[in-house]
Amino acid sequence: MDHQLVGLMETAPKPGGDVPHKKNKLQSKRKKPRRYWEEEETSPTAAGASPGPSRSKKRKQELRPRRPKNTHIQKKSRISKKPQVPRKSGERRNLVPQRTLSGAQDPFPGPAPVPVEAALKFRRIDKSKKLLHSKSKTRSRLEVADAEEEETSVRAARSELLLAEEPGFLEGDDGEDTAKIRQADIVEAVDIASAAKHFDLNLRQFGPYRLNYSRTGRHLAFGGRRGHVAALDWVTKKLMCEINVIEAVRDIRFLHSEALLSVAQNRWLHIYDNQGIELHCIRRCDRITRLEFLPFHFLLATASETGFLTYLDVSVGKIVTALNARAGRLDVMTQNPYNAVIHLGHSNGTVSLWSPAVKEPLAKILCHRGGVRAVAVDSTGTYMATSGLDHQLKIFDLRGMFQPLSARTLPQGAGHLAFSQRGLLAAGMGDVVNIWAGQGKGSPPSLEQPYLTHRLSGHVHGLQFCPFEDVLGVGHNGGITSMLVPGAAEPNFDGLENNPYRSRKQRQEWEVKALLEKVPAELICLDPRALAEVDVVTLEQEKKERIERLGYDPEAKAPFQPKPKQKGRSSTASLVKRKRKVMDKEHRVRTLDKVRQSLEQQQHDQEKKTKPTGTRPSALDRFVR
Amino acid sequence: MCENNAEKMSATSAESLLALRQQEELVDLPKDYPLSASEDEGDSDGERKHQKLLEAISSLDGKNRRKLAERSEASLKVSEFNVSSEGTREKLVLSDLLQPIKPSSSLATVRKQLNRVKSKKTVELPLNKEEVARIHREVAFNKTSQALSKWDPIVLKNRKAEQLVFPLEKEQAAFAPIEHVLSGWKARTPLEQEIFNVLHKNKQPVTDPLLTPVEKASLKAMSLEEAKMRRAELQRARALQSYYEAKARREKKIKSKKYHKVVKKGKAKKALKDFETLRKVDPTAALEELEKIEKARMMERMSLKHQNSGKWAKSKAIMAKYDLEARQAMQEQLAKNKELTQKLQAASESEEEGGGVEENELLVPDVVNEVHINANEPNPWMRRSCTSDAKEVEIQKDPEQPPEPMAHEDSESEGEESPVAEEETLLKEFEERRSLRKRPELNQDAEPVGGREAQDASSQEVLSELRALSRKLNKENQEKQSRKQKGNSVRAVLPVQREEPAQEEEEPLLLQRPERVQTLEELEELGKEGYLQNTELPRPVSQGQQTERNPDNQPGAPKKKKRKEEMIDLQNLLTTKSPSVKSLAVPTTIEALEDEEERDQKQMIKEAFAGDDVIRDFLKEKKEAVEASKPKDVDLTLPGWGEWGGVGLQPSAKKRRRFLIKAPEGPPRKDKNLPNVIINEKRNIHAAAHQVHVLPYPFTHHHQFERTIQTPIGSTWNTQRAFQKLTTPKVVTKPGHIIKPIKAEDVGYRSSSRSDLSMVQRNPKQLSVRHKKQLKKNSVD
């Protein structure tokens, strides 16, 4: 069956002869990241490659250059160059060069200075909650926690330096619409290695294709409606397996590694290995329409025609739960990568959020007037994009409020949606793919102007951005198309987590580690940070029970009892007087506090009232910190 | 002035007078009473009273207020039995009594005693038991609490410490170069000292790993040819040795009895000849040979070799009846045994000893006799034990070193020095002689442990032969020997001694090569050490080999708690106006829709979804959910209780209101102001099982505790170093080390017998200040 794919494979047009020249130019134009040890040298290089002239050029396109394995080596060498010696903050200012044992002199002694904003990004403690006045012991513990947080955040900020790669981008000249730039233009502009990432697989025989990239972004699996299943290392175009299951293939998905492949076939769910050998046929999951894999929980979530959402633990091979969504056929499903909640789109225009621990949906959001056609959640779990039968595309904020941030009517309505790692949104409408980009990484994609558009040879049936590569994979009637989308993916990968260049041995070791760190399924909830909070309900309940058991509150403050004084001086009247005095004092303190609080509140309100008059509130205000 | 005073006082005095009079009357009354009986006295009394009155009046002016001493006649009642104090209203004072005693010395003691009595106060009653105990307790408590309070800061510090490492006393991991360490080192144990001495003797470099001067010199001096020559020599020696060994092995393997017999005989003959010549040439060597024979005898006596008890002998014994040869062989063996076991020179020795005794008998008969008796004893060790001299001790001290000459000299010098100790010297002389005789034996006894044993065993046969021959000789030469022996004995030792150094000299030649090899190896090792030293420089461990995971799946921004005051209109929400459709300016895809077209489309959609009102359904669903989540009221009304009941009768509204327990209103729903959302309010009990539900000790509010656990500690979210630091164990113990309880010295306080008190005495003030602070803090809390 190999000939089938190989023969039909049609790689991207070869770049012209002038490409290397262009590429060199582009690379020289690229602003080099400034390093702390380059303080003296930066000025000449900056002069050589100032960003100014590049603007005058008609267009500047760039794919993030990928240097295989280079990054890793570079990091290592840098580390050996300058060991980070943990020092206290007081010593950080000490910049006197010190002689080492070897006699070499460190020109930049001490750890590298860290900008406050960079460290602030890694701060975890929520300081908004005000604490009660605490005892010295407690205070010391809190201080220790604070110090730890600061230190770890500084360390994390400092290690950001190691994220050497920068995302690519596509920038038009003033007034030029980037959406008009065609794939061919991009391919022409970028280097050969990146250009090779754009290709089309013409597979017209076995109907519309669904596709899935592995978590490392190295492997691609696709399944045609008419039973064609294949997996390949798409970077090298090396075919791993290719089979025809002689059954309708609804969806296809890699499990935790590229060695296992789950295929939702017409009747049951099947699992194949990378040789194409069928390992399991799971009959309890029947008539599956969509598959979703939660990598940290080792759960395979399946949505079926019968309306059941089933969680299968692939590490032990057991079904964790089967939830009845009570909303008819389920054919729209996606996962929230932030909290592993499954989003299901229903025909009544709602999107329901599911966790295997709860029988009912965690939340239900009414999104569209018609049925929901596609749902996608971005990698930070902040935004959800939905499209419905009412031809609308909406972006929702998932942080507590579930309110639409922006919406737009599309002439045809989007049948498929996908978010990239850096927050680009791709929508497949008929045989057209539109991509929208936001202002930055944390911002939602603005639906005003598409970033890129591309027309395919058939109707879109599956969409996914490739992790760690600026590539969008589109499955359609005519096969598979790999599009170049500059700036789509995260440029820096975690070598211990998702290493695209990992060897077999590394993969095996990672597998063991990941299994050891598997998160229990019942921990999936809307706000994962809530797990780090005290279970107040149980706490109160236990306290109550304890008080009942003991007959008194052991933690309550004892009421003031005046001490009997010298003989004759502690009459009942004077005792009562003293008691009252203390009570009054406490009361005064309390009321004073209240008054102060209310005053502050008033002031705050006034400020609030005065504030909006100055500037109009914009939707972006919510991101101002 | 005086007058003025008088005037002033006049008023007061008048009052006082009155008072006085009253007093006097009061006082006098009882006095009068007994006196009233005698009239005479009544007179005098009256007179006296009058007088007093006058005096009082006169004293009113103030000048003459002092009362004049009253002179009176001795009263009638003066008697030696009764001292009347009448008239004088003063008390009798002890000092008045004592005054007359003063001059008389005899009464001084009495006075002293009285003084002592006077000075002594009354002893207070002892406190009762409970009070004493309480005071003791209080004092003890104060002391101990003070003593213990010095540990407070340490305990506090240890509790707050991030990590405690036990055992507490740390061995200083000083990074000192090896030279420093070695220079500070001193040999303590005798073994170390010995080694050190040896090293110093050879000028072995201790600190600097270099060659000794000798080694250096030898390295320099030895040329290539010389080294080659030496090597050739050594090779030759080794080859010779191996030839000899091979020959011996070959000979040993020969099984022919006849051959062995011949060889044996030849050897015996040769030995005899040798002995003969030796006796003539070197009598001392001959003597040695004799000793050897003696030893062979001893061996024979110990073993059962020729006693017809072996396997061969037993078989022969059976055959002996019929076989003449066997009989002969047995007899031969027995004869041999006899021959071997026969005491050789016992007679001659005793004779000789006797001769010696005879000579000495004149001087010291008793001691010599004693010694003689000792000498007769066959066991040399028994003899040893009898004589316990200083010399003996010396011998025991270092048995390898022959003490004879030294001791001899000593004894001689002693003899010269102290004629008094002549007896002793003579005794020693005898001892020496005896020991001299025994020495070779001893040497032989001591040495077989080494390599000679095998040789002895092999040569025993030869020796037995030799013995037999030598006995004959001895018999002939007994007289001669006995005469000479005394003189020889002393001299004979010296050559033996001389031989040993010669052997020693030979040894170095043989051992030289291995030694050199050793030194070379050492050199290499030293070189290696040096290399290691160089390479051992602490190299920074490459840290954080992996990139930290980009924590972009963390919540980007804190959720804004903006409350929408107004209920958002759901209708509006779902029909948000699209920003602009024109912007979809993709020339290749779809042409932009006009507003009209949009309107048309909307209309179309509306028509399409006319049947299913999505919004109403959703609102209905939400209402149901809200109702379901609301806490239910409890209705406790019993129908028919207190009123008519039956079918169709409902309890009255009043009653129902009365018995309805309203459920407390729960917290507001999260989706209260969010029309398009239904948020499930149910608690996730599975997740709650993983949550903390007991506040740990120092925290009083769950917010406090939450703050301490908000930073993740896993390696996924932290850099490698941070992860390591966050997960360091609280207590580290070294395996295999005893963890002793904390001492004052460990913490830095000076040690003393009552170490716990030392600090309190040192700085009581600081402590008190600290305590005050703590108290203040507590009060504030």
Side-chain angles (χ1 to χ4, degrees):
Chain A
M1 235 177 250
D2 279 2
H3 68 279
Q4 196 176 20
L5 181 72
V6 176
L8 295 172
M9 191 183 277
E10 196 180 85
T11 45
K14 297 270 185 225
D18 58 336
V19 165
H21 171 68
K22 245 186 186 174
K23 175 197 150 199
N24 288 342
K25 228 189 233 170
L26 275 170
Q27 276 201 337
S28 69
K29 295 276 162 53
R30 187 159 41 89
K31 197 183 153 199
K32 255 181 120 183
R34 215 176 114 206
R35 305 277 179 256
Y36 69 96
W37 65 84
E38 290 178 345
E39 275 177 330
E40 297 86 16
E41 300 153 41
T42 41
S43 50
T45 51
S50 64
S54 75
R55 296 262 169 206
S56 67
K57 228 220 152 212
K58 199 198 163 201
R59 81 173 55 127
K60 183 184 163 192
Q61 304 131 1
E62 187 196 338
L63 261 186
R64 180 177 46 78
R66 174 147 293 289
R67 283 174 291 188
K69 284 169 191 171
N70 250 10
T71 51
H72 220 70
I73 296 155
Q74 214 177 357
K75 274 170 212 160
K76 262 185 191 168
S77 65
R78 199 172 305 146
I79 287 159
S80 64
K81 225 182 263 175
K82 210 181 89 62
Q84 281 189 6
V85 187
R87 267 183 218 181
K88 281 176 187 168
S89 56
E91 291 172 331
R92 214 172 289 155
R93 305 277 167 263
N94 183 19
L95 292 172
V96 180
Q98 287 173 339
R99 282 211 158 265
T100 52
L101 268 172
S102 61
Q105 210 168 14
D106 189 0
F108 305 103
V114 176
V116 182
E117 307 86 63
L120 215 62
K121 200 166 61 180
F122 296 99
R123 290 253 168 169
R124 255 54 170 259
I125 293 180
D126 179 17
K127 297 255 168 76
S128 62
K129 278 180 195 163
K130 242 196 163 183
L131 292 186
L132 299 173
H133 194 83
S134 44
K135 283 187 281 184
S136 65
K137 243 176 222 164
T138 323
R139 222 178 302 131
S140 71
R141 289 280 288 269
L142 289 171
E143 277 161 14
V144 165
D146 263 359
E148 266 177 5
E149 189 217 9
E150 195 190 341
E151 201 190 330
T152 49
S153 64
V154 164
R155 277 178 196 281
R158 190 170 292 134
S159 69
E160 254 202 337
L161 190 80
L162 303 175
L163 307 176
E165 301 295 330
E166 286 180 336
F169 56 90
L170 184 68
E171 211 173 65
D173 284 330
D174 25 71
E176 202 208 3
D177 194 359
T178 49
K180 280 183 179 167
I181 297 169
R182 291 177 302 155
Q183 282 291 305
D185 299 332
I186 297 173
V187 166
E188 206 173 296
V190 295
D191 55 314
I192 302 171
S194 301
K197 284 166 190 168
H198 171 66
F199 60 88
D200 277 308
L201 299 179
N202 287 337
L203 306 159
R204 302 211 162 267
Q205 201 179 348
F206 294 104
Y209 278 88
R210 297 277 303 168
L211 83 170
N212 181 231
Y213 286 102
S214 67
R215 282 191 72 219
T216 56
R218 182 81 186 195
H219 299 272
L220 173 69
F222 51 87
R225 168 82 58 75
R226 289 178 200 129
H228 177 214
V229 171
L232 74 159
D233 180 348
W234 72 268
V235 180
T236 57
K237 316 283 190 309
K238 198 184 138 203
L239 190 67
M240 290 202 302
C241 68
E242 190 179 25
I243 49 172
N244 199 321
V245 295
I246 334 247
E247 206 177 1
V249 170
R250 290 326 196 340
D251 201 359
I252 189 164
R253 202 142 288 254
F254 276 114
L255 296 190
H256 57 277
S257 72
E258 58 271 14
L260 290 171
L261 191 64
S262 61
V263 180
Q265 293 177 18
N266 193 31
R267 289 205 67 184
W268 297 309
L269 174 69
H270 292 256
I271 291 175
Y272 297 92
D273 74 348
N274 55 1
Q275 307 292 317
I277 298 162
E278 182 184 315
L279 299 177
H280 303 287
C281 171
I282 297 150
R283 296 207 171 108
R284 284 192 64 190
C285 303
D286 60 332
R287 308 197 147 272
I288 305 296
T289 52
R290 283 285 176 272
L291 292 169
E292 204 55 66
F293 185 70
L294 310 176
F296 297 104
H297 304 77
F298 282 85
L299 290 177
L300 182 69
T302 58
S304 69
E305 270 179 7
T306 52
F308 274 89
L309 170 64
T310 312
Y311 286 89
L312 174 72
D313 190 333
V314 297
S315 64
V316 290
K318 275 186 184 163
I319 286 175
V320 176
T321 42
L323 306 167
N324 191 354
R326 294 171 205 282
R329 184 189 149 96
L330 305 171
D331 53 0
V332 180
M333 176 163 77
T334 191
Q335 65 161 311
N336 185 343
Y338 169 60
N339 52 15
V341 166
I342 292 289
H343 293 227
L344 292 176
H346 303 293
S347 56
N348 60 355
T350 57
V351 169
S352 55
L353 278 56
W354 295 84
S355 151
V358 185
K359 292 279 173 200
E360 293 99 49
L362 299 170
K364 253 186 181 182
I365 310 156
L366 181 61
C367 302
H368 295 280
R369 282 176 162 258
V372 177
R373 286 179 75 192
V375 182
V377 182
D378 86 319
S379 61
T380 58
T382 321
Y383 306 112
M384 173 174 76
T386 61
S387 78
L389 282 172
D390 55 354
H391 293 200
Q392 289 238 329
L393 172 63
K394 289 185 185 178
I395 291 175
F396 284 79
D397 186 0
L398 285 181
R399 292 167 297 183
M401 305 294 275
F402 305 107
Q403 293 306 312
L405 297 172
S406 57
R408 126 159 234 150
T409 313
L410 300 169
Q412 247 185 312
H416 297 274
L417 292 172
F419 266 108
S420 86
Q421 280 180 325
R422 283 178 59 78
L424 268 61
L425 176 65
M429 306 164 289
D431 58 349
V432 176
V433 173
N434 263 21
I435 297 159
W436 290 277
Q439 243 62 47
K441 206 201 160 195
S443 63
S446 64
L447 301 178
E448 304 273 334
Q449 282 271 346
Y451 178 61
L452 275 178
T453 52
H454 186 60
R455 174 171 278 228
L456 302 152
S457 54
H459 275 260
V460 177
H461 196 63
L463 265 184
Q464 201 193 351
F465 280 100
C466 178
F468 308 111
E469 293 285 0
D470 287 341
V471 161
L472 171 68
V474 186
H476 49 86
N477 277 333
I480 303 282
T481 301
S482 175
M483 276 174 66
L484 293 185
V485 185
E490 188 60 47
N492 297 291
F493 60 85
D494 185 347
L496 293 179
E497 192 64 39
N498 293 317
N499 190 352
Y501 306 108
R502 69 187 174 192
S503 60
R504 206 168 122 261
K505 203 81 200 161
Q506 276 173 320
R507 195 195 71 211
Q508 284 164 356
E509 270 172 29
W510 165 84
E511 219 166 344
V512 171
K513 217 173 145 231
L515 276 169
L516 288 173
E517 288 175 351
K518 183 185 137 187
V519 184
E522 64 257 32
L523 288 181
I524 297 173
C525 52
L526 266 184
D527 181 15
R529 302 223 73 194
L531 291 170
E533 282 170 6
V534 176
D535 183 9
V536 182
V537 178
T538 319
L539 185 75
E540 300 280 305
Q541 183 63 29
E542 278 184 0
K543 199 178 168 189
K544 219 164 142 193
E545 276 167 13
R546 191 168 174 228
I547 289 165
E548 265 172 27
R549 206 170 53 237
L550 292 172
Y552 71 98
D553 187 3
E555 281 157 24
K557 198 183 162 193
F560 176 71
Q561 194 63 45
K563 269 185 196 164
K565 286 209 171 162
Q566 275 178 332
K567 212 176 179 186
R569 296 217 171 176
S570 88
S571 68
T572 320
S574 73
L575 278 183
V576 169
K577 227 192 220 164
R578 263 155 54 204
K579 227 184 209 172
R580 179 152 298 155
K581 211 171 152 187
V582 173
M583 274 165 65
D584 285 348
K585 199 179 162 191
E586 280 172 1
H587 182 69
R588 215 165 23 222
V589 169
R590 246 177 287 141
T591 44
L592 264 173
D593 275 355
K594 266 185 200 168
V595 168
R596 204 171 292 142
Q597 272 183 3
S598 65
L599 275 174
E600 275 173 12
Q601 190 70 35
Q602 272 182 6
Q603 273 187 353
H604 196 68
D605 288 349
Q606 274 185 354
E607 275 174 23
K608 262 191 176 175
K609 274 176 190 170
T610 53
K611 214 179 181 179
T613 57
T615 53
R616 270 188 68 203
S618 78
L620 290 171
D621 276 350
R622 76 187 70 235
F623 306 111
V624 176
R625 255 174 265 167
Chain B
M1 279 236 326
C2 290
E3 280 174 8
N4 285 342
N5 277 341
E7 276 170 16
K8 275 182 197 167
M9 290 179 82
S10 60
T12 54
S13 58
E15 285 173 11
S16 66
L17 184 70
L18 271 171
L20 194 74
R21 282 200 60 168
Q22 281 174 348
Q23 213 173 13
E24 268 174 351
E25 274 173 11
L26 280 169
V27 171
D28 285 347
L29 252 168
K31 275 184 185 170
D32 287 358
Y33 180 70
L35 292 173
S36 62
S38 58
E39 278 294 303
D40 315 71
E41 282 185 54
D43 271 349
S44 64
D45 265 6
E47 267 183 334
R48 205 176 292 159
K49 277 175 186 173
H50 183 69
Q51 192 85 32
K52 272 182 183 170
L53 184 67
L54 286 174
E55 273 175 17
I57 290 160
S58 64
S59 69
L60 277 174
D61 62 18
K63 267 184 187 174
N64 204 1
R65 281 185 86 170
R66 206 175 66 91
K67 202 167 54 182
L68 289 167
E70 188 183 347
R71 268 177 177 270
S72 62
E73 295 296 316
S75 74
L76 291 168
K77 281 181 186 170
V78 170
S79 74
E80 55 184 350
F81 306 111
N82 188 19
V83 178
S84 161
S85 64
E86 213 178 7
T88 59
R89 268 181 294 154
E90 295 154 4
K91 271 188 185 171
L92 185 68
V93 186
L94 191 62
S95 56
D96 296 342
L97 291 173
L98 289 174
Q99 263 161 8
I101 314 170
K102 220 176 199 174
S104 62
S105 61
S106 62
L107 287 170
T109 52
V110 179
R111 186 183 155 76
K112 248 184 213 166
Q113 279 174 356
L114 282 166
N115 268 338
R116 208 182 302 146
V117 168
K118 202 172 74 178
S119 69
K120 248 182 202 167
K121 278 172 193 167
T122 50
V123 177
E124 279 176 36
L125 264 177
L127 290 170
N128 56 5
K129 212 174 165 189
E130 289 81 36
E131 253 171 67
V132 170
R134 199 201 308 147
I135 289 161
H136 276 301
R137 279 201 305 272
E138 220 164 274
V139 170
F141 172 75
N142 281 340
K143 262 191 179 172
T144 39
S145 60
Q146 222 176 6
L148 289 180
S149 70
K150 79 151 187 176
W151 291 100
D152 286 354
I154 294 147
V155 169
L156 210 68
K157 201 185 90 192
N158 280 358
R159 274 189 195 153
K160 278 186 184 177
E162 277 173 32
Q163 191 180 42
L164 291 175
V165 181
F166 294 110
L168 282 169
E169 65 270 12
K170 283 166 221 149
E171 279 163 37
Q172 298 251 328
F175 195 73
I178 192 110
E179 293 86 24
H180 288 231
V181 176
L182 282 173
S183 66
W185 184 78
K186 262 179 190 172
R188 273 182 226 104
T189 60
L191 180 69
E192 280 174 353
Q193 278 166 355
E194 209 169 307
I195 290 165
F196 217 61
N197 280 336
V198 170
L199 285 174
H200 273 290
K201 245 182 225 166
N202 297 335
K203 290 182 181 170
Q204 188 75 28
V206 185
T207 55
D208 204 13
L210 288 171
L211 294 173
T212 58
V214 179
E215 277 172 335
K216 268 185 203 163
S218 66
L219 266 179
K220 269 182 193 169
M222 200 186 286
S223 63
L224 188 65
E225 285 108 61
E226 210 173 329
K228 269 184 182 168
M229 261 168 65
R230 187 164 287 182
R231 192 160 134 264
E233 237 169 72
L234 281 169
Q235 268 177 345
R236 209 176 139 242
R238 239 179 294 135
L240 279 174
Q241 196 181 353
S242 68
Y243 294 157
Y244 183 78
E245 271 169 11
K247 195 185 166 196
R249 230 174 282 137
R250 200 175 62 236
E251 277 178 359
K252 202 184 160 193
K253 266 189 185 168
I254 293 168
K255 280 178 182 162
S256 162
K257 280 177 187 170
K258 203 174 179 183
Y259 167 77
H260 281 294
K261 223 181 249 172
V262 170
V263 167
K264 238 184 256 175
K265 258 184 191 164
K267 267 184 188 172
K269 259 183 196 165
K270 205 190 166 198
L272 198 63
K273 230 178 231 172
D274 283 352
F275 186 72
E276 203 69 15
T277 49
L278 200 68
R279 211 161 53 102
K280 277 169 192 163
V281 180
D282 192 358
T284 49
L287 203 68
E288 219 178 316
E289 290 293 294
L290 275 177
E291 297 293 353
K292 259 186 200 168
I293 291 159
E294 180 68 10
K295 200 191 164 209
R297 188 179 84 91
M298 272 160 64
M299 296 290 276
E300 180 58 31
R301 271 166 65 89
M302 283 194 297
S303 72
L304 300 167
K305 203 164 185 183
H306 301 105
Q307 291 193 345
N308 285 353
S309 58
K311 216 184 203 175
W312 173 83
K314 272 173 188 167
S315 68
K316 286 283 164 192
I318 294 163
M319 294 296 290
K321 238 182 187 178
Y322 316 103
D323 197 357
L324 197 72
E325 265 183 48
R327 215 181 298 161
Q328 268 180 352
M330 276 185 71
Q331 275 172 352
E332 213 172 281
Q333 214 186 18
L334 276 174
K336 202 175 211 175
N337 182 33
K338 233 175 224 173
E339 213 173 85
L340 279 168
T341 47
Q342 207 168 16
K343 205 169 181 185
L344 239 190
Q345 294 168 326
S348 67
E349 254 183 78
S350 64
E351 272 181 23
E352 181 225 315
E353 287 281 323
V357 169
E358 273 176 12
E359 285 176 6
N360 292 328
E361 232 172 2
L362 297 170
L363 295 167
V364 268
D366 295 343
V367 185
V368 172
N369 277 342
E370 218 176 71
V371 174
H372 183 70
I373 291 158
N374 285 338
N376 278 344
E377 274 175 10
N379 197 345
W381 280 275
M382 292 287 278
R383 239 182 288 161
R384 274 271 163 112
S385 62
C386 286
T387 54
S388 57
D389 279 8
K391 187 191 84 183
E392 202 69 32
V393 177
E394 272 181 10
I395 291 165
Q396 277 176 355
K397 261 186 186 172
D398 39 2
E400 286 172 359
Q401 209 177 16
E404 274 78 16
M406 272 269 290
H408 189 68
E409 280 168 17
D410 273 2
S411 65
E412 275 184 357
S413 63
E414 263 184 38
E416 285 166 9
E417 278 168 20
S418 56
V420 188
E422 259 189 6
E423 288 179 1
E424 273 193 13
T425 54
L426 276 169
L427 226 164
K428 274 175 191 167
E429 271 184 7
F430 275 104
E431 273 293 317
E432 274 164 32
R433 234 175 284 157
R434 225 176 301 127
S435 64
L436 271 175
R437 235 172 287 128
K438 298 296 165 207
R439 176 127 287 272
E441 283 177 22
L442 276 173
N443 280 346
Q444 275 180 347
D445 278 357
E447 276 166 346
V449 185
R452 273 197 206 174
E453 198 167 32
Q455 202 191 329
D456 272 12
S458 64
S459 65
Q460 207 168 27
E461 298 281 279
V462 187
L463 277 174
S464 63
E465 296 286 84
L466 192 74
R467 262 185 71 92
L469 290 169
S470 67
R471 199 175 36 186
K472 287 175 197 164
L473 257 171
N474 276 338
K475 275 176 187 170
E476 291 169 11
N477 299 327
Q478 257 180 9
E479 286 140 12
K480 286 180 192 173
Q481 265 192 350
S482 62
R483 272 173 229 154
K484 283 182 182 175
Q485 195 140 29
K486 198 187 163 189
N488 289 342
S489 59
V490 183
R491 275 173 235 150
V493 186
L494 294 169
V496 179
Q497 274 183 319
R498 265 177 226 140
E499 272 177 14
E500 281 171 3
Q503 274 182 352
E504 277 174 4
E505 277 171 8
E506 278 172 12
E507 273 171 2
L509 262 173
L510 287 166
L511 289 172
Q512 210 166 26
R513 199 167 160 270
E515 241 180 15
R516 269 170 57 70
V517 169
Q518 214 173 6
T519 51
L520 277 168
E521 277 170 5
E522 272 178 338
L523 259 175
E524 275 174 13
E525 276 176 7
L526 288 169
K528 271 182 201 167
E529 273 174 16
Y531 175 69
L532 281 174
Q533 268 181 19
N534 288 334
T535 51
E536 258 174 7
L537 289 174
R539 211 168 271 167
V541 184
S542 62
Q543 52 119 3
Q545 282 180 351
Q546 87 281 38
T547 54
E548 300 313 317
R549 217 185 138 214
N550 202 14
D552 53 4
N553 50 358
Q554 288 299 323
K559 292 159 195 172
K560 283 197 177 177
K561 281 197 174 177
K562 231 182 183 177
R563 282 239 151 168
K564 289 195 179 166
E565 275 147 35
E566 287 173 43
M567 187 86 166
I568 304 157
D569 188 18
L570 200 55
Q571 198 80 24
N572 289 340
L573 200 127
L574 284 175
T575 55
T576 38
K577 185 127 164 93
S578 58
S580 74
V581 193
K582 275 182 190 171
S583 58
L584 193 76
V586 188
T588 53
T589 56
I590 310 152
E591 64 238 27
L593 288 169
E594 296 297 310
D595 268 0
E596 293 161 25
E597 279 180 58
E598 192 189 342
R599 229 176 289 142
D600 284 356
Q601 202 186 18
K602 265 184 189 170
Q603 192 63 36
M604 213 172 72
I605 289 163
K606 237 179 195 177
E607 278 165 20
F609 299 111
D612 37 31
D613 195 347
V614 172
I615 296 167
R616 196 186 295 159
D617 285 353
F618 187 78
L619 285 177
K620 200 177 146 197
E621 199 182 331
K622 184 169 180 182
K623 203 178 272 175
E624 276 168 13
V626 169
E627 286 302 315
S629 71
K630 257 188 187 167
K632 306 273 183 310
D633 296 349
V634 186
D635 192 2
L636 293 173
T637 45
L638 290 169
W641 190 259
E643 58 186 9
W644 288 108
V647 181
L649 282 174
Q650 287 290 321
S652 69
K654 189 185 159 196
K655 196 184 170 193
R656 243 185 290 159
R657 221 181 301 132
R658 201 183 149 197
F659 286 101
L660 186 76
I661 296 170
K662 280 202 170 176
E665 204 162 300
R669 278 183 69 92
K670 279 183 222 162
D671 53 8
K672 199 177 143 200
N673 292 324
L674 308 171
N676 65 329
V677 185
I678 306 169
I679 295 174
N680 195 354
E681 299 271 278
K682 266 188 188 168
R683 219 155 74 86
N684 182 356
I685 47 164
H686 297 291
H690 291 271
Q691 278 179 305
V692 177
H693 56 85
V694 179
L695 272 187
Y697 158 58
F699 303 104
T700 49
H701 196 264
H702 61 90
H703 282 326
Q704 293 169 345
F705 177 61
E706 276 162 17
R707 218 172 243 204
T708 58
I709 58 168
Q710 263 167 357
T711 32
I713 56 169
S715 58
T716 318
W717 300 275
N718 289 305
T719 59
Q720 185 61 27
R721 280 295 175 91
F723 167 67
Q724 277 169 354
K725 216 203 153 193
L726 288 169
T727 54
T728 44
K730 199 98 173 82
V731 175
V732 172
T733 52
K734 264 189 190 171
H737 285 253
I738 298 166
I739 298 169
K740 283 174 189 159
I742 193 169
K743 277 183 287 180
E745 295 95 85
D746 296 337
V747 196
Y749 298 125
R750 69 154 185 260
S751 61
S752 71
S753 55
R754 297 280 315 267
S755 60
D756 45 354
L757 285 174
S758 61
M759 202 212 102
V760 181
Q761 286 154 5
R762 221 207 254 155
N763 50 358
K765 219 182 237 173
Q766 280 179 13
L767 265 178
S768 65
V769 168
R770 203 181 56 75
H771 277 288
K772 269 179 204 163
K773 270 184 189 169
Q774 264 198 343
L775 278 172
K776 261 188 194 171
K777 271 183 198 169
N778 287 337
S779 67
V780 166
D781 287 336

